[in-house]
Amino acid sequence: MRKYPSIIFGIIGSVSLLLIYFVILTLANSLDHAIDQFYQIWYWIMLLTVGFGIQVGLYHYIKHNQDKKITGAATEMAASGGISTLSMIACCAHHLVDILPIIGLSAAAVFLVKYQTSFILVGVFSSLIGIQTMLSIIKKNHLYNDAGIFEKLFFLDIKKVRVATVILAVIIIAISFISKLK
């Protein structure tokens, strides 16, 4: 574990999010419902959990290497943390559908069901942007070995990739919402 603790933390983050997903759905309905929902949208759930795990691993990596001078990292880490939080909210928001009718909010439940994929897309894209923000911190502060995996990633201009991701996210999410209006 000493050589790859950030990877271990990332895996723990992914598994934890997946467990939270199953616990929420099981408590709101049943384990069978949780499993059925997972089978229906497993690809989205896996994108969210893997993205979250990567963010956790990168966060740990940055914190572990913070003994080096990190310029402006506090602000960028706060922004990335906010993006991660947004990703979690978007991931779980559509699961309120199971309990909203019980508390008399059927209209909200219908809205969340109708736009479930759109909310998941927000989570997936915000997770991607969070990952890119953390990679940008690592690159900007040279928190990597020149022969490691990061060196292979950093031939790309992370800021340009992030801008392209944001533009693509806005377009795809807008199309997703607009297509549901019909």
Short mmCIF file of all heavy atoms in Angstrom, two decimals, residues 82-136:
data_model
loop_
_atom_site.label_atom_id
_atom_site.label_comp_id
_atom_site.label_asym_id
_atom_site.label_seq_id
_atom_site.Cartn_x
_atom_site.Cartn_y
_atom_site.Cartn_z
N GLY A 82 -15.86 21.51 -4.73
CA GLY A 82 -17.22 21.93 -5.05
C GLY A 82 -17.78 21.15 -6.23
O GLY A 82 -18.94 20.76 -6.24
N ILE A 83 -16.94 20.92 -7.21
CA ILE A 83 -17.35 20.14 -8.38
C ILE A 83 -17.66 18.71 -7.97
O ILE A 83 -18.65 18.12 -8.41
CB ILE A 83 -16.28 20.21 -9.49
CG1 ILE A 83 -16.23 21.62 -10.06
CG2 ILE A 83 -16.57 19.19 -10.59
CD1 ILE A 83 -15.05 21.88 -10.96
N SER A 84 -16.84 18.15 -7.09
CA SER A 84 -17.09 16.79 -6.61
C SER A 84 -18.41 16.72 -5.86
O SER A 84 -19.17 15.76 -6.01
CB SER A 84 -15.96 16.33 -5.69
OG SER A 84 -14.75 16.28 -6.39
N THR A 85 -18.67 17.74 -5.05
CA THR A 85 -19.93 17.78 -4.31
C THR A 85 -21.11 17.86 -5.27
O THR A 85 -22.11 17.16 -5.11
CB THR A 85 -19.95 18.99 -3.35
OG1 THR A 85 -18.83 18.87 -2.47
CG2 THR A 85 -21.23 19.04 -2.55
N LEU A 86 -21.00 18.70 -6.29
CA LEU A 86 -22.04 18.81 -7.31
C LEU A 86 -22.27 17.46 -7.99
O LEU A 86 -23.41 17.06 -8.22
CB LEU A 86 -21.68 19.87 -8.35
CG LEU A 86 -22.62 20.01 -9.54
CD1 LEU A 86 -24.01 20.44 -9.07
CD2 LEU A 86 -22.07 21.01 -10.53
N SER A 87 -21.19 16.76 -8.25
CA SER A 87 -21.30 15.45 -8.88
C SER A 87 -22.08 14.49 -7.99
O SER A 87 -22.94 13.75 -8.47
CB SER A 87 -19.89 14.91 -9.15
OG SER A 87 -19.96 13.64 -9.72
N MET A 88 -21.80 14.51 -6.71
CA MET A 88 -22.51 13.63 -5.78
C MET A 88 -23.98 13.99 -5.70
O MET A 88 -24.85 13.11 -5.68
CB MET A 88 -21.88 13.73 -4.39
CG MET A 88 -20.54 13.06 -4.27
SD MET A 88 -20.66 11.29 -4.51
CE MET A 88 -21.72 10.86 -3.14
N ILE A 89 -24.28 15.29 -5.64
CA ILE A 89 -25.68 15.72 -5.57
C ILE A 89 -26.42 15.29 -6.82
O ILE A 89 -27.53 14.76 -6.76
CB ILE A 89 -25.77 17.24 -5.36
CG1 ILE A 89 -25.27 17.60 -3.95
CG2 ILE A 89 -27.19 17.75 -5.57
CD1 ILE A 89 -25.05 19.08 -3.73
N ALA A 90 -25.80 15.51 -7.98
CA ALA A 90 -26.44 15.13 -9.24
C ALA A 90 -26.63 13.62 -9.32
O ALA A 90 -27.63 13.13 -9.84
CB ALA A 90 -25.61 15.62 -10.42
N CYS A 91 -25.69 12.89 -8.78
CA CYS A 91 -25.78 11.43 -8.79
C CYS A 91 -26.96 10.95 -7.97
O CYS A 91 -27.71 10.09 -8.39
CB CYS A 91 -24.48 10.83 -8.23
SG CYS A 91 -24.59 9.07 -7.89
N CYS A 92 -27.13 11.53 -6.82
CA CYS A 92 -28.14 11.02 -5.88
C CYS A 92 -29.50 11.67 -6.02
O CYS A 92 -30.49 11.15 -5.52
CB CYS A 92 -27.64 11.18 -4.45
SG CYS A 92 -26.18 10.18 -4.13
N ALA A 93 -29.58 12.83 -6.67
CA ALA A 93 -30.84 13.58 -6.74
C ALA A 93 -31.98 12.74 -7.33
O ALA A 93 -33.11 12.80 -6.85
CB ALA A 93 -30.66 14.85 -7.55
N HIS A 94 -31.68 11.97 -8.36
CA HIS A 94 -32.76 11.23 -9.00
C HIS A 94 -33.27 10.07 -8.13
O HIS A 94 -34.34 9.55 -8.36
CB HIS A 94 -32.33 10.72 -10.38
CG HIS A 94 -31.26 9.69 -10.33
ND1 HIS A 94 -29.94 10.00 -10.17
CD2 HIS A 94 -31.33 8.35 -10.41
CE1 HIS A 94 -29.23 8.89 -10.17
NE2 HIS A 94 -30.04 7.88 -10.32
N HIS A 95 -32.54 9.71 -7.08
CA HIS A 95 -33.00 8.64 -6.20
C HIS A 95 -34.04 9.13 -5.19
O HIS A 95 -34.68 8.32 -4.52
CB HIS A 95 -31.82 8.00 -5.46
CG HIS A 95 -30.89 7.31 -6.40
ND1 HIS A 95 -31.29 6.28 -7.23
CD2 HIS A 95 -29.59 7.53 -6.69
CE1 HIS A 95 -30.28 5.90 -7.97
NE2 HIS A 95 -29.24 6.64 -7.67
N LEU A 96 -34.25 10.43 -5.11
CA LEU A 96 -35.31 10.97 -4.27
C LEU A 96 -36.68 10.55 -4.79
O LEU A 96 -37.66 10.60 -4.06
CB LEU A 96 -35.23 12.50 -4.22
CG LEU A 96 -34.01 13.08 -3.50
CD1 LEU A 96 -33.99 14.58 -3.69
CD2 LEU A 96 -34.03 12.71 -2.04
N VAL A 97 -36.72 10.12 -6.03
CA VAL A 97 -37.96 9.67 -6.66
C VAL A 97 -38.64 8.60 -5.82
O VAL A 97 -39.87 8.56 -5.73
CB VAL A 97 -37.64 9.11 -8.07
CG1 VAL A 97 -38.82 8.37 -8.65
CG2 VAL A 97 -37.20 10.23 -8.97
N ASP A 98 -37.87 7.77 -5.17
CA ASP A 98 -38.44 6.67 -4.40
C ASP A 98 -39.18 7.12 -3.14
O ASP A 98 -40.09 6.46 -2.69
CB ASP A 98 -37.33 5.68 -4.01
CG ASP A 98 -36.66 5.10 -5.24
OD1 ASP A 98 -37.36 4.84 -6.23
OD2 ASP A 98 -35.43 4.92 -5.22
N ILE A 99 -38.77 8.27 -2.57
CA ILE A 99 -39.40 8.69 -1.32
C ILE A 99 -40.27 9.94 -1.46
O ILE A 99 -41.10 10.20 -0.60
CB ILE A 99 -38.35 8.93 -0.21
CG1 ILE A 99 -37.34 10.01 -0.63
CG2 ILE A 99 -37.65 7.65 0.16
CD1 ILE A 99 -36.43 10.45 0.49
N LEU A 100 -40.13 10.71 -2.53
CA LEU A 100 -40.91 11.94 -2.68
C LEU A 100 -42.42 11.72 -2.67
O LEU A 100 -43.14 12.48 -2.03
CB LEU A 100 -40.47 12.70 -3.93
CG LEU A 100 -39.10 13.38 -3.83
CD1 LEU A 100 -38.73 14.02 -5.17
CD2 LEU A 100 -39.07 14.41 -2.74
N PRO A 101 -42.94 10.68 -3.36
CA PRO A 101 -44.40 10.48 -3.30
C PRO A 101 -44.89 10.20 -1.88
O PRO A 101 -45.98 10.60 -1.51
CB PRO A 101 -44.64 9.28 -4.21
CG PRO A 101 -43.48 9.27 -5.15
CD PRO A 101 -42.32 9.78 -4.33
N ILE A 102 -44.06 9.56 -1.08
CA ILE A 102 -44.44 9.23 0.30
C ILE A 102 -44.66 10.51 1.10
O ILE A 102 -45.56 10.58 1.93
CB ILE A 102 -43.36 8.34 0.96
CG1 ILE A 102 -43.29 7.01 0.22
CG2 ILE A 102 -43.64 8.14 2.44
CD1 ILE A 102 -42.08 6.16 0.60
N ILE A 103 -43.83 11.53 0.85
CA ILE A 103 -43.96 12.77 1.61
C ILE A 103 -44.80 13.82 0.88
O ILE A 103 -44.79 14.99 1.23
CB ILE A 103 -42.57 13.33 2.00
CG1 ILE A 103 -41.69 13.60 0.78
CG2 ILE A 103 -41.87 12.41 2.97
CD1 ILE A 103 -40.36 14.27 1.10
N GLY A 104 -45.52 13.39 -0.15
CA GLY A 104 -46.47 14.26 -0.83
C GLY A 104 -45.90 15.13 -1.92
O GLY A 104 -46.50 16.14 -2.27
N LEU A 105 -44.76 14.78 -2.45
CA LEU A 105 -44.15 15.58 -3.51
C LEU A 105 -44.10 14.80 -4.82
O LEU A 105 -43.06 14.63 -5.44
CB LEU A 105 -42.74 16.02 -3.09
CG LEU A 105 -42.67 16.93 -1.86
CD1 LEU A 105 -41.24 17.14 -1.44
CD2 LEU A 105 -43.35 18.25 -2.14
N SER A 106 -45.27 14.36 -5.26
CA SER A 106 -45.35 13.55 -6.47
C SER A 106 -44.88 14.30 -7.71
O SER A 106 -44.25 13.72 -8.59
CB SER A 106 -46.78 13.07 -6.69
OG SER A 106 -47.18 12.26 -5.61
N ALA A 107 -45.19 15.59 -7.80
CA ALA A 107 -44.78 16.38 -8.97
C ALA A 107 -43.25 16.42 -9.07
O ALA A 107 -42.69 16.30 -10.16
CB ALA A 107 -45.34 17.79 -8.89
N ALA A 108 -42.59 16.60 -7.94
CA ALA A 108 -41.12 16.60 -7.95
C ALA A 108 -40.59 15.24 -8.38
O ALA A 108 -39.60 15.15 -9.11
CB ALA A 108 -40.58 16.99 -6.57
N ALA A 109 -41.25 14.19 -7.93
CA ALA A 109 -40.83 12.84 -8.31
C ALA A 109 -40.95 12.64 -9.81
O ALA A 109 -40.04 12.09 -10.45
CB ALA A 109 -41.67 11.80 -7.56
N VAL A 110 -42.06 13.11 -10.40
CA VAL A 110 -42.25 12.98 -11.84
C VAL A 110 -41.16 13.75 -12.59
O VAL A 110 -40.59 13.26 -13.56
CB VAL A 110 -43.66 13.48 -12.25
CG1 VAL A 110 -43.80 13.59 -13.76
CG2 VAL A 110 -44.73 12.55 -11.69
N PHE A 111 -40.85 14.96 -12.12
CA PHE A 111 -39.80 15.78 -12.72
C PHE A 111 -38.45 15.06 -12.68
O PHE A 111 -37.74 15.00 -13.69
CB PHE A 111 -39.70 17.13 -11.99
CG PHE A 111 -38.55 17.97 -12.42
CD1 PHE A 111 -38.62 18.72 -13.59
CD2 PHE A 111 -37.38 18.02 -11.66
CE1 PHE A 111 -37.54 19.51 -13.99
CE2 PHE A 111 -36.31 18.80 -12.06
CZ PHE A 111 -36.39 19.55 -13.22
N LEU A 112 -38.10 14.50 -11.53
CA LEU A 112 -36.81 13.83 -11.40
C LEU A 112 -36.72 12.57 -12.24
O LEU A 112 -35.68 12.27 -12.80
CB LEU A 112 -36.52 13.52 -9.92
CG LEU A 112 -36.22 14.74 -9.06
CD1 LEU A 112 -36.12 14.34 -7.59
CD2 LEU A 112 -34.95 15.43 -9.50
N VAL A 113 -37.82 11.84 -12.36
CA VAL A 113 -37.82 10.65 -13.22
C VAL A 113 -37.62 11.06 -14.68
O VAL A 113 -36.82 10.47 -15.41
CB VAL A 113 -39.12 9.84 -13.06
CG1 VAL A 113 -39.26 8.81 -14.16
CG2 VAL A 113 -39.16 9.15 -11.71
N LYS A 114 -38.35 12.09 -15.09
CA LYS A 114 -38.29 12.55 -16.47
C LYS A 114 -36.87 12.99 -16.85
O LYS A 114 -36.41 12.74 -17.95
CB LYS A 114 -39.28 13.69 -16.69
CG LYS A 114 -39.36 14.17 -18.12
CD LYS A 114 -40.47 15.20 -18.28
CE LYS A 114 -40.56 15.65 -19.72
NZ LYS A 114 -41.66 16.60 -19.92
N TYR A 115 -36.18 13.65 -15.93
CA TYR A 115 -34.86 14.21 -16.21
C TYR A 115 -33.72 13.43 -15.56
O TYR A 115 -32.62 13.95 -15.40
CB TYR A 115 -34.82 15.68 -15.79
CG TYR A 115 -35.76 16.54 -16.61
CD1 TYR A 115 -36.98 16.94 -16.11
CD2 TYR A 115 -35.41 16.91 -17.90
CE1 TYR A 115 -37.84 17.72 -16.87
CE2 TYR A 115 -36.26 17.68 -18.68
CZ TYR A 115 -37.47 18.08 -18.14
OH TYR A 115 -38.32 18.84 -18.91
N GLN A 116 -33.97 12.18 -15.21
CA GLN A 116 -32.97 11.36 -14.54
C GLN A 116 -31.65 11.32 -15.31
O GLN A 116 -30.58 11.56 -14.74
CB GLN A 116 -33.50 9.94 -14.33
CG GLN A 116 -32.50 9.02 -13.67
CD GLN A 116 -33.04 7.60 -13.53
OE1 GLN A 116 -33.73 7.11 -14.41
NE2 GLN A 116 -32.69 6.95 -12.44
N THR A 117 -31.70 11.02 -16.58
CA THR A 117 -30.48 10.94 -17.39
C THR A 117 -29.77 12.28 -17.44
O THR A 117 -28.53 12.34 -17.37
CB THR A 117 -30.81 10.45 -18.81
OG1 THR A 117 -31.47 9.19 -18.73
CG2 THR A 117 -29.55 10.30 -19.64
N SER A 118 -30.51 13.36 -17.51
CA SER A 118 -29.90 14.69 -17.54
C SER A 118 -29.14 14.96 -16.25
O SER A 118 -28.03 15.50 -16.28
CB SER A 118 -30.98 15.76 -17.75
OG SER A 118 -31.66 15.53 -18.96
N PHE A 119 -29.73 14.60 -15.11
CA PHE A 119 -29.04 14.80 -13.84
C PHE A 119 -27.78 13.94 -13.75
O PHE A 119 -26.74 14.37 -13.24
CB PHE A 119 -29.97 14.50 -12.65
CG PHE A 119 -30.98 15.57 -12.41
CD1 PHE A 119 -32.33 15.31 -12.55
CD2 PHE A 119 -30.59 16.85 -12.06
CE1 PHE A 119 -33.27 16.29 -12.32
CE2 PHE A 119 -31.53 17.85 -11.84
CZ PHE A 119 -32.88 17.57 -11.97
N ILE A 120 -27.87 12.72 -14.24
CA ILE A 120 -26.69 11.85 -14.23
C ILE A 120 -25.61 12.43 -15.13
O ILE A 120 -24.43 12.41 -14.79
CB ILE A 120 -27.07 10.42 -14.63
CG1 ILE A 120 -27.96 9.79 -13.55
CG2 ILE A 120 -25.82 9.57 -14.83
CD1 ILE A 120 -28.54 8.44 -13.92
N LEU A 121 -26.00 12.97 -16.29
CA LEU A 121 -25.02 13.60 -17.19
C LEU A 121 -24.32 14.77 -16.50
O LEU A 121 -23.11 14.96 -16.66
CB LEU A 121 -25.71 14.09 -18.46
CG LEU A 121 -26.01 13.02 -19.51
CD1 LEU A 121 -26.90 13.59 -20.61
CD2 LEU A 121 -24.72 12.47 -20.09
N VAL A 122 -25.05 15.56 -15.73
CA VAL A 122 -24.44 16.65 -14.97
C VAL A 122 -23.38 16.07 -14.03
O VAL A 122 -22.27 16.60 -13.93
CB VAL A 122 -25.49 17.46 -14.18
CG1 VAL A 122 -24.84 18.41 -13.19
CG2 VAL A 122 -26.39 18.24 -15.13
N GLY A 123 -23.72 14.99 -13.37
CA GLY A 123 -22.76 14.34 -12.46
C GLY A 123 -21.54 13.82 -13.17
O GLY A 123 -20.40 14.02 -12.72
N VAL A 124 -21.73 13.17 -14.31
CA VAL A 124 -20.60 12.61 -15.06
C VAL A 124 -19.68 13.73 -15.55
O VAL A 124 -18.45 13.66 -15.39
CB VAL A 124 -21.10 11.74 -16.25
CG1 VAL A 124 -19.96 11.40 -17.19
CG2 VAL A 124 -21.78 10.48 -15.73
N PHE A 125 -20.27 14.77 -16.14
CA PHE A 125 -19.43 15.85 -16.66
C PHE A 125 -18.76 16.65 -15.55
O PHE A 125 -17.61 17.07 -15.69
CB PHE A 125 -20.23 16.77 -17.59
CG PHE A 125 -20.34 16.22 -18.99
CD1 PHE A 125 -21.56 15.80 -19.49
CD2 PHE A 125 -19.23 16.10 -19.80
CE1 PHE A 125 -21.67 15.28 -20.77
CE2 PHE A 125 -19.32 15.58 -21.08
CZ PHE A 125 -20.54 15.18 -21.57
N SER A 126 -19.46 16.86 -14.44
CA SER A 126 -18.81 17.59 -13.35
C SER A 126 -17.68 16.76 -12.75
O SER A 126 -16.65 17.30 -12.34
CB SER A 126 -19.82 18.01 -12.28
OG SER A 126 -20.45 16.91 -11.69
N SER A 127 -17.83 15.46 -12.76
CA SER A 127 -16.75 14.59 -12.32
C SER A 127 -15.54 14.70 -13.25
O SER A 127 -14.40 14.80 -12.80
CB SER A 127 -17.25 13.14 -12.25
OG SER A 127 -16.24 12.28 -11.77
N LEU A 128 -15.80 14.69 -14.56
CA LEU A 128 -14.71 14.86 -15.52
C LEU A 128 -13.98 16.19 -15.33
O LEU A 128 -12.75 16.26 -15.38
CB LEU A 128 -15.24 14.78 -16.96
CG LEU A 128 -15.53 13.40 -17.51
CD1 LEU A 128 -16.20 13.52 -18.88
CD2 LEU A 128 -14.25 12.60 -17.63
N ILE A 129 -14.75 17.24 -15.10
CA ILE A 129 -14.15 18.56 -14.90
C ILE A 129 -13.35 18.59 -13.59
O ILE A 129 -12.27 19.17 -13.52
CB ILE A 129 -15.23 19.65 -14.95
CG1 ILE A 129 -15.81 19.73 -16.37
CG2 ILE A 129 -14.67 21.01 -14.52
CD1 ILE A 129 -17.11 20.51 -16.49
N GLY A 130 -13.86 17.93 -12.56
CA GLY A 130 -13.13 17.83 -11.30
C GLY A 130 -11.81 17.10 -11.47
O GLY A 130 -10.77 17.51 -10.93
N ILE A 131 -11.82 16.02 -12.24
CA ILE A 131 -10.59 15.27 -12.52
C ILE A 131 -9.60 16.16 -13.26
O ILE A 131 -8.42 16.21 -12.92
CB ILE A 131 -10.90 13.98 -13.32
CG1 ILE A 131 -11.65 12.98 -12.45
CG2 ILE A 131 -9.62 13.37 -13.90
CD1 ILE A 131 -12.27 11.83 -13.22
N GLN A 132 -10.09 16.87 -14.25
CA GLN A 132 -9.21 17.75 -15.02
C GLN A 132 -8.66 18.88 -14.16
O GLN A 132 -7.51 19.29 -14.34
CB GLN A 132 -9.96 18.28 -16.24
CG GLN A 132 -10.25 17.20 -17.24
CD GLN A 132 -11.28 17.61 -18.28
OE1 GLN A 132 -11.72 18.75 -18.34
NE2 GLN A 132 -11.67 16.65 -19.11
N THR A 133 -9.46 19.38 -13.22
CA THR A 133 -8.98 20.43 -12.32
C THR A 133 -7.83 19.90 -11.46
O THR A 133 -6.80 20.57 -11.30
CB THR A 133 -10.13 20.95 -11.43
OG1 THR A 133 -11.15 21.49 -12.28
CG2 THR A 133 -9.65 22.01 -10.47
N MET A 134 -7.99 18.71 -10.94
CA MET A 134 -6.93 18.13 -10.11
C MET A 134 -5.68 17.82 -10.93
O MET A 134 -4.56 18.03 -10.46
CB MET A 134 -7.45 16.90 -9.39
CG MET A 134 -8.45 17.25 -8.32
SD MET A 134 -8.85 15.82 -7.34
CE MET A 134 -10.34 16.37 -6.57
N LEU A 135 -5.87 17.33 -12.15
CA LEU A 135 -4.71 17.10 -13.03
C LEU A 135 -3.99 18.41 -13.33
O LEU A 135 -2.76 18.45 -13.39
CB LEU A 135 -5.15 16.42 -14.33
CG LEU A 135 -5.56 14.95 -14.21
CD1 LEU A 135 -6.13 14.45 -15.53
CD2 LEU A 135 -4.39 14.09 -13.75
N SER A 136 -4.76 19.48 -13.46
CA SER A 136 -4.17 20.79 -13.71
C SER A 136 -3.32 21.24 -12.52
O SER A 136 -2.23 21.79 -12.69
CB SER A 136 -5.29 21.80 -13.97
OG SER A 136 -4.76 23.07 -14.21
#
